[in-house]
């Protein structure tokens, strides 16, 4: 699908971003030239996916589209049972309604914000056990998404009774689209078995993770993506999936699991929150497109061209001397805002400031992965300032050309060249109690 994009002037953008309270989520998309806000639901579907849309079965119960999606999930992931949901966070909501109780502690590798939101909403705690290397953008570690096994075991030793499961996010989005190695997953399974815990995989970008395992991990170079994916999920009991990423659809998600009893328990919440168990918030045509997208998203040739495009942008920026998370991630380039704007204090939301500067420069919309996203501590209500302040330039699948990447790179270089003149940050005017970054209102500080 080809869509029109629109150019604008700097004066127009200054007016629009002020009206949007310096929050890029509040901008009309028509005010954006190149949209790198997210890779979620923004990909272009293929001819075959559109063909599948035409033959969706819209029966309320037992639709053939449900069985098509089930067959694709069983084939690709090895999980026997599944529940469709309207997107990833809905899958989290249904699953956590069964598994998460007040006071629980859930260790993992940098939980995504909605995952953390659903945990904290239930008065439970997310503990980030990601390896320290992930928090230094200059270190070239092949699997910066990994969990530090010692940190994980420490949580299990000291809080064993409060831990319902370990959650592994593939790829580790918040740390920079960084992959998790098979070796790490295998070790986590061992630890989980030792302590009698479930392993959940947040599989939003499982296929991109498999690509990195194939090209970076010894012993996997001759395995196919599908073989690597099957092994990946063999170490988990449950997966939650936002199909808007690696299944290349505009909307959709699911939960998949091995345990029939868990499926029955989750079905109760599924029916309350999402819909009947054979559609769960999705049209038949959406389930067809997901089934087809799961196959396309796990094709090596597709993954190679997609990840190499992200790398292309990353290398352009590196060549300009712009500090980015190394190595370049799977779905996005993460610009290190602290090193980009070293003189701006963290209290002035420097990654958001950089995101606004890039928008003003060329109408390019990225997204802040920093203090705004990190939210307030649910107990003390103090701002949480993460180690890394990042500007994520997220590349939609099968949408932009490398020509667009050139425009983005030069725009950011222009900002980089005048970085010493950027002295004014931002302050919060109004914010929501939880997941504030989506709706926060800011002003110049
Ligand atoms: N888990 C991960 C790792 C994600 O990146 C996302 C969404 C979700 C879960 C939630 O899925 O949006 O379908 O409800 N990430 C998008 C992003 C929004 O921009 O990274 P959802």
């Amino acid at each position: 699908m080809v869509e029109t994009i629109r150019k604008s002037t700097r004066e127009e953008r200054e007016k629009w971003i002020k009206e949007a309270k310096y929050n890029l989520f509040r901008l009309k998309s028509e005010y954006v030239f190149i949209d790198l806000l997210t890779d979620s639901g923004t990909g272009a579907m293929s001819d075959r996916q559109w063909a599948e849309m035409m033959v969706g079965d819209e029966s309320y119960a037992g639709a053939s589209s449900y069985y098509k999606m089930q067959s694709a999930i069983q084939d690709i992931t090895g999980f026997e049972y599944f529940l469709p949901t309207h997107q990833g966070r809905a899958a989290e909501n249904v699953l956590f309604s069964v598994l998460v109780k007040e006071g629980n502690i859930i260790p993992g590798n940098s939980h995504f914000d909605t995952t953390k939101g659903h945990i904290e909403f239930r008065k439970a705690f997310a503990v980030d056990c990601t390896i320290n290397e992930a928090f230094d953008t200059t270190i070239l570690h092949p699997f910066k998404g990994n969990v530090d096994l010692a940190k994980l075991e420490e949580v299990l030793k000291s809080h064993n009774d409060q831990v319902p499961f370990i959650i592994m996010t593939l790829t580790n989005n918040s740390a920079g689209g960084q992959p998790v190695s098979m070796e790490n997953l295998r070790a986590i399974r061992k630890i989980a078995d030792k302590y009698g815990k479930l392993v959940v995989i947040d599989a939003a970008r499982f296929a991109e993770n498999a690509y990195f395992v194939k090209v970076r991990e010894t012993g996997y170079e001759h395995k196919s993506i599908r073989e690597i994916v099957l092994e990946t999920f063999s170490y988990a009991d449950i997966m939650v999936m936002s199909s808007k990423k690696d299944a290349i659809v505009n909307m959709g998600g699911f939960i998949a699991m091995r345990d029939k009893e868990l499926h029955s328990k989750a079905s109760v919440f599924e029916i309350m929150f999402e819909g009947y168990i054979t559609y769960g918030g999705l049209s038949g045509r959406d389930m067809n497109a997901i089934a087809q997208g799961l196959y396309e998203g796990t094709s090596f040739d597709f993954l190679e061209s997609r990840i190499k495009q992200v790398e292309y942008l990353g290398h352009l920026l590196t060549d300009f001397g712009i500090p980015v998370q190394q190595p370049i991630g799977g779905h996005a380039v993460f610009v290190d805002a602290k090193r980009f704007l070293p003189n701006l204090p963290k209290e002035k939301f420097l990654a958001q400031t950089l995101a606004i500067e890039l928008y003003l420069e060329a109408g390019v919309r990225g997204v802040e992965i920093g203090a705004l996203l990190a939210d307030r501590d649910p107990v003390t209500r103090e701002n949480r300032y993460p180690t890394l302040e990042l500007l994520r330039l997220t590349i939609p699948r099968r949408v932009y050309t490398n020509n667009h990447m050139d425009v983005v790179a030069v725009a950011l270089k222009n900002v980089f060249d005048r970085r010493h003149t950027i002295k004014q940050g931002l302050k919060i005017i109004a914010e929501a109690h939880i997941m504030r970054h989506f709706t926060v209102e800011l002003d110049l500080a």
Side-chain angles (χ1 to χ4, degrees):
M1 189 64 66
V2 173
E3 291 176 48
T4 310
I5 57 176
R6 300 162 203 83
K7 284 191 193 171
S8 53
T9 64
R10 184 170 176 113
E11 290 67 39
E12 283 174 325
R13 293 192 290 276
E14 279 172 1
K15 177 173 167 280
W16 294 333
I17 197 65
K18 189 165 190 264
E19 284 167 2
K21 314 282 184 197
Y22 300 94
N23 179 347
L24 293 153
F25 285 102
R26 299 178 83 101
L27 273 182
K28 284 188 180 172
S29 64
E30 66 196 63
Y31 297 163
V32 176
F33 180 41
I34 297 175
D35 204 348
L36 307 186
L37 183 73
T38 180
D39 64 328
S40 182
T42 54
M45 290 210 294
S46 69
D47 50 354
R48 277 151 211 258
Q49 283 179 293
W50 281 109
E52 283 297 329
M53 296 287 278
M54 300 308 291
V55 292
D57 176 353
E58 305 303 342
S59 308
Y60 188 95
S64 64
S65 299
Y66 167 82
Y67 291 103
K68 196 176 265 182
M69 186 166 161
Q70 181 185 56
S71 153
I73 291 169
Q74 287 173 342
D75 192 20
I76 289 172
T77 71
F79 286 109
E80 186 167 357
Y81 301 100
F82 102 102
L83 289 168
T85 62
H86 79 273
Q87 61 183 97
R89 68 199 69 182
E92 291 164 359
N93 189 30
V94 170
L95 181 69
F96 293 1
S97 294
V98 181
L99 295 181
V100 180
K101 307 277 176 283
E102 184 171 339
N104 278 175
I105 290 173
I106 295 149
N109 59 337
S110 310
H111 313 60
F112 183 66
D113 51 325
T114 60
T115 317
K116 196 147 120 197
H118 276 296
I119 290 171
E120 293 179 348
F121 180 72
R122 290 172 172 80
K123 298 193 164 49
F125 304 91
V127 180
D128 186 358
C129 301
T130 307
I131 55 170
N132 292 339
E133 288 89 334
F135 303 104
D136 180 340
T137 56
T138 62
I139 296 177
L140 269 172
H141 185 295
F143 292 102
K144 274 186 169 175
N146 282 356
V147 140
D148 181 323
L149 300 171
K151 285 190 203 170
L152 175 66
E153 198 147 5
E154 190 47 48
V155 175
L156 288 163
K157 257 191 209 145
S158 49
H159 302 284
N160 194 12
D161 294 345
Q162 289 122 287
V163 177
F165 57 85
I166 301 162
I167 188 159
M168 291 301 296
T169 303
L170 271 49
T171 56
N172 184 333
N173 183 0
S174 317
Q178 298 293 318
V180 176
S181 71
M182 201 68 93
E183 188 188 11
N184 199 241
L185 287 171
R186 212 175 291 127
I188 289 157
R189 177 74 264 173
K190 265 203 183 138
I191 294 175
D193 288 343
K194 181 171 157 194
Y195 291 90
K197 302 298 171 195
L198 294 168
V199 175
V200 178
I201 290 183
D202 174 346
R205 300 179 184 83
F206 73 94
E208 292 177 3
N209 200 83
Y211 172 86
F212 285 119
V213 168
K214 182 173 169 68
V215 300
R216 289 186 188 166
E217 193 162 347
T218 316
Y220 288 91
E221 53 275 40
H222 301 302
K223 299 222 162 156
S224 69
I225 296 292
R226 295 276 302 282
E227 284 169 332
I228 295 170
V229 165
L230 271 178
E231 183 179 341
T232 301
F233 289 121
S234 76
Y235 301 124
D237 303 285
I238 305 163
M239 70 183 280
V240 281
M241 171 86 185
S242 168
S243 307
K244 302 170 71 169
K245 285 85 168 171
D246 277 358
I248 329 175
V249 292
N250 304 119
M251 195 54 72
F254 61 89
I255 314 167
M257 66 284 266
R258 279 178 233 294
D259 182 7
K260 193 173 176 197
E261 200 180 313
L262 175 65
H263 178 267
S264 310
K265 285 185 187 161
S267 296
V268 176
F269 295 101
E270 167 90 347
I271 292 168
M272 279 203 300
F273 299 146
E274 291 294 291
Y276 183 59
I277 54 173
T278 63
Y279 71 84
L282 294 175
S283 305
R285 53 182 171 270
D286 292 332
M287 293 192 279
N288 275 11
I290 292 170
Q292 175 64 24
L294 282 169
Y295 288 105
E296 292 177 17
T298 49
S299 132
F300 177 78
D301 289 345
F302 157 70
L303 285 165
E304 186 180 43
S305 70
R306 184 237 181 334
I307 291 174
K308 289 214 160 150
Q309 181 175 47
V310 179
E311 214 173 66
Y312 174 81
L313 173 61
H315 290 164
L316 286 178
L317 297 178
T318 312
D319 289 347
F320 286 141
I322 296 172
V324 301
Q325 172 69 298
Q326 301 284 357
I328 309 301
H331 66 299
V333 179
F334 290 68
V335 182
D336 187 333
K338 274 192 189 167
R339 285 165 58 212
F340 197 113
L341 296 173
N343 298 324
L344 213 60
K346 62 183 187 310
E347 291 78 9
K348 292 198 174 181
F349 302 106
L350 55 112
Q352 180 70 5
T353 303
L354 182 56
I356 300 295
E357 286 295 337
L358 179 61
Y359 173 71
L360 289 173
E361 178 66 31
V364 175
R365 172 159 72 170
V367 70
E368 187 245 28
I369 308 281
L372 281 179
L373 181 80
D375 233 318
R376 288 178 189 274
D377 183 286
V379 180
T380 66
R381 302 303 301 155
E382 291 297 322
N383 274 311
R384 289 188 281 212
Y385 293 104
T387 315
L388 289 181
E389 288 275 353
L390 303 164
L391 163 62
R392 188 182 74 173
L393 303 172
T394 338
I395 315 302
R397 292 166 186 76
R398 310 192 288 208
V399 172
Y400 291 118
T401 65
N402 284 1
N403 192 8
H404 296 96
M405 300 301 118
D406 292 342
V407 173
V408 173
V410 171
L412 195 60
K413 180 188 186 297
N414 290 345
V415 179
F416 192 57
D417 288 346
R418 59 174 171 79
R419 64 190 180 282
H420 301 296
T421 66
I422 302 170
K423 298 207 169 93
Q424 195 169 32
L426 296 158
K427 62 179 179 200
I428 293 179
I429 303 298
E431 66 183 288
H433 192 72
I434 205 161
M435 280 189 259
R436 65 182 180 186
H437 58 290
F438 289 117
T439 53
V440 69
E441 295 182 15
L442 300 158
D443 202 353
L444 301 175

